[in-house]
Amino acid sequence: MPVGPTTRRRQLGADLRRLRERKGLTLEEAGALVGISKATLSRYERKEGTVKWPAVDALCREYGASDAERSALVELAKGARIQGWWRSLTDPVPESMNLMLTLEDEAVSEDHYACMYVPGLLQTRAYAEAVHRASEVRCTEQEISHMVGIRMKRQELLERAQPPHLWAVIDEAVVRRAVGGRHVMRDQLSHLLEQAERPHITVQVLPFSAGAHAAAAGSFVILGGPAPGLDVAYVDTIGGGMFMEKPTQIARYKLAFQYLHAQALDTERSGALLEEAIREL
């Protein structure tokens, strides 16, 4: 799995902080050694904005990093400038989507709990159009088409030689909600069944009979990073998505997901429920 720019930047910030703390230096002390301000070094470690690789090289030398560590971090600093496929689109992607697209492009796994709609990576075009028309009521047809096109483009990551593993726990309410009408929903559920046959995609249904569960607050996704400590949880809200990466936050969402897939039907029974829902449409 290739490591993308945002993951590089996050890894760089975490490693710079680790090396500084290993050396026992404060931000102010470390910055003074290489001629940068405390605020600038703090920004480097908080993974915000661009970094200058000569400064990273100098910091590594002051921190007593090995040649291998220094070389790796300098390469991370240089590679953090590379941009993703969506940056070249004629119509720009909304700023709120940039981070999600970047993290998803770099993820090695995605754990979804969906209580409203089928996860975007598993949606048909017609279903996605219906979702966008319902949620973006003031958007023009051109804007909707643009957003749906991005969603379809996102799905290409599932066709990679080394795709991320997608594990979706879908509430039965999602299965029963006839988004776009019966024909659209029938095609969507059939598509979901087909996708669930792929080795890197797991689909489970959380039935109504499971009762109360660990994620009553709403849908979320855990994006698994290519290196330890790079996982991110994403929660979609009306006011905009929220990203969480503190270890305590990630741990809570991971625990919730563990409970959810334990409460959900196994893959065979989930498939049977989906087939039943298709017949009823």
Side-chain angles (χ1 to χ4, degrees):
M1 176 67 62
V3 180
T6 298
T7 294
R8 293 188 188 99
R9 184 64 185 85
R10 294 171 66 223
Q11 184 68 65
L12 176 61
D15 284 348
L16 286 175
R17 180 174 182 176
R18 174 180 57 81
L19 290 172
R20 177 179 60 79
E21 291 179 343
R22 187 178 72 182
K23 189 69 172 179
L25 296 170
T26 65
L27 285 167
E28 189 170 12
E29 290 169 341
L33 289 173
V34 297
I36 63 175
S37 69
K38 173 183 176 181
T40 297
L41 182 52
S42 177
R43 178 172 55 78
Y44 281 14
E45 293 186 6
R46 291 198 310 271
K47 313 136 193 177
E48 298 174 357
T50 58
V51 294
K52 296 180 179 180
W53 73 260
V56 171
D57 183 82
L59 286 166
C60 286
R61 294 178 187 278
E62 294 294 344
Y63 293 159
S66 67
D67 288 343
E69 286 177 317
R70 178 169 56 83
S71 177
L73 292 193
V74 168
E75 287 305 307
L76 283 175
K78 292 178 178 178
R81 295 175 179 270
I82 300 171
Q83 299 297 329
W85 57 264
W86 53 95
R87 297 288 187 175
S88 62
L89 294 175
T90 303
D91 294 322
V93 170
E95 192 60 35
S96 59
M97 289 186 63
N98 278 332
L99 182 55
M100 180 60 182
L101 290 172
T102 304
L103 293 172
E104 187 172 69
D105 194 53
E106 301 165 10
V108 298
S109 66
E110 291 196 24
D111 294 338
H112 289 256
Y113 168 63
C115 67
M116 181 62 67
Y117 300 123
V118 171
L121 291 178
L122 300 176
Q123 291 179 6
T124 64
R125 179 177 290 275
Y127 184 95
E129 288 174 350
V131 168
H132 277 287
R133 285 197 179 95
S135 58
E136 308 292 343
V137 293
R138 295 187 176 182
C139 285
T140 64
E141 284 299 310
Q142 182 179 356
E143 290 170 328
I144 290 173
S145 178
H146 176 54
M147 297 304 293
V148 170
I150 292 172
R151 181 156 297 184
M152 296 300 103
K153 180 70 175 178
R154 282 172 53 202
Q155 295 179 2
E156 292 182 8
L157 67 86
L158 296 176
E159 309 302 325
R160 291 174 176 170
Q162 292 182 292
H165 184 269
L166 174 61
W167 193 326
V169 175
I170 299 173
D171 196 280
E172 186 174 349
V174 175
V175 176
R176 304 298 181 184
R177 181 174 293 108
V179 174
R182 295 174 62 184
H183 178 72
V184 169
M185 196 62 196
R186 188 183 299 114
D187 287 348
Q188 174 61 72
L189 295 182
S190 296
H191 179 69
L192 201 54
L193 275 172
E194 292 170 3
Q195 292 296 299
E197 294 295 322
R198 306 178 74 180
H200 58 286
I201 297 176
T202 302
V203 175
Q204 290 180 272
V205 177
L206 182 68
F208 291 140
S209 59
H213 55 77
S219 302
F220 65 87
V221 55
I222 301 169
L223 298 155
L230 293 180
D231 296 348
V232 176
Y234 175 79
V235 181
D236 201 8
T237 68
I238 292 178
M242 295 187 297
F243 292 90
M244 285 160 277
E245 56 181 330
K246 292 181 180 178
T248 53
Q249 295 172 326
I250 297 296
R252 289 185 65 182
Y253 279 96
K254 286 185 175 180
L255 182 61
F257 192 77
Q258 289 174 9
Y259 277 113
L260 287 164
H261 76 69
Q263 288 179 279
L265 301 175
D266 61 26
T267 54
E268 184 175 347
R269 289 187 295 162
S270 293
L273 189 150
L274 290 172
E275 290 173 348
E276 175 191 339
I278 292 170
R279 289 193 297 271
E280 293 176 356
L281 284 169

